[in-house]
Amino acid sequence: AVLPFANLGSSSDEYFAAGITEEITSRLAGLEKLAVASSTTAAEYDRRGKSVPRIGRDLGVQYVVEGPVRWAQDSSGAKVRITPKLIRAADDTAVWTQQYDASLADIFSVQADIAYRITEALQVALEGRERHTVEARPTADAEAYLAFLRGITAYQQGGSDTNNQVRARAELEAAVARDPRFAAAWSWLARVYVTQYGSGAQRKPEIRQAAERAAQTAIDLDPGLPEAHMALATLLAERDHERALRELETARTGLPNSAEVFRLIGNVETRMGRSREALAAYMHAFDLAPGSMAEPVAVHYLRLRQYTEAKRFIGIATADNRPGVAVPEAW
């Protein structure tokens, strides 16, 4: 689990630390031999007063990554200091740590090196495709990248909040306006549009079309970008189940251990009336992220009228030490 990096700069720079956390999480999540807790799960986890071994147990992880970020601008430009630390959760032992001082232009190299150092410490060998994931340089435009970080941070502060959706959309639209080839920004913009459409905040045909265009643009620019395939699959799930599953299989290639991908597969299988396949997908998601994925498993058992199992997973979902779970009032 990559825990939210602590911002040591101005409160107005909070988005930068949050964005760096997301970027490092994304690079590690693309590696087949690592199962990485989702950034949403890690961000929503209340770690106050808890030891690292307790955090490891709560999140179901063997290692955590944490550290401070300081970002400052002066006459010579923007400077970044990041001091990540890889900690073995079982005994709270630091396995690796290093201080990085870099300019904003070097931030992608720093992110890549952090990911490489972590994989080396964990003795994880990387394949060719995985090296591409780790070394990705999404844009050469610094202002576009900062707008991107502001956008994804606004979304992660509460995707269901319409004000956050509006802020995220504005920043991501600014990012792709500055750099139309910024695939990751298009992908996140598609995700914001999908949320606006799906939540009902902007349930208009033109928003759905904008979401599909943004997702397709991201895929055209970077065919292997899993988040874009996930966004497109969410839209297709309403009308074209088989194509939605194909998009999710492509996403699974890029994010082999993503609980969210398996949850979405379960959703599509449910729409198709394939309860057994849906349950298998939900349970796989639960195995990867028991804290955040107990809820969809419980809901599925409720649909099946298997109330004993539903009650068991409701108990897991509502336990005090489980992060990122919102239980419907109907329960």
Side-chain angles (χ1 to χ4, degrees), residues 1 32 38 78 83 87 114 118 133 157 160 191-192 219 298 315:
E32 186 172 1
S38 75
T83 312
I87 305 170
I114 291 171
I118 290 172
T133 298
Q157 286 174 343
S160 60
R191 186 173 178 177
V192 173
I219 291 169

Side-chain angles (χ1 to χ4, degrees), residues 270-308:
T270 297
R271 285 175 177 264
M272 298 174 74
R274 302 200 303 217
S275 298
R276 182 180 301 175
E277 291 85 350
L279 181 59
Y282 287 136
M283 289 305 299
H284 197 128
F286 175 78
D287 289 341
L288 290 167
S292 59
M293 292 297 161
E295 180 183 353
V297 175
V299 170
H300 190 68
Y301 274 122
L302 286 171
R303 291 194 190 103
L304 298 176
R305 299 180 184 274
Q306 296 184 25
Y307 299 120
T308 300

Side-chain angles (χ1 to χ4, degrees), residues 52 62-66 84-98 117-123:
V52 171
Q62 294 173 291
Y63 296 88
V64 297
V65 179
E66 63 177 8
K85 181 186 294 185
L86 176 67
I87 305 170
R88 185 166 54 239
D91 56 5
D92 196 6
T93 299
V95 178
W96 167 82
T97 186
Q98 184 170 327
R117 299 296 183 184
I118 290 172
T119 59
E120 287 174 359
L122 298 178
Q123 298 181 348

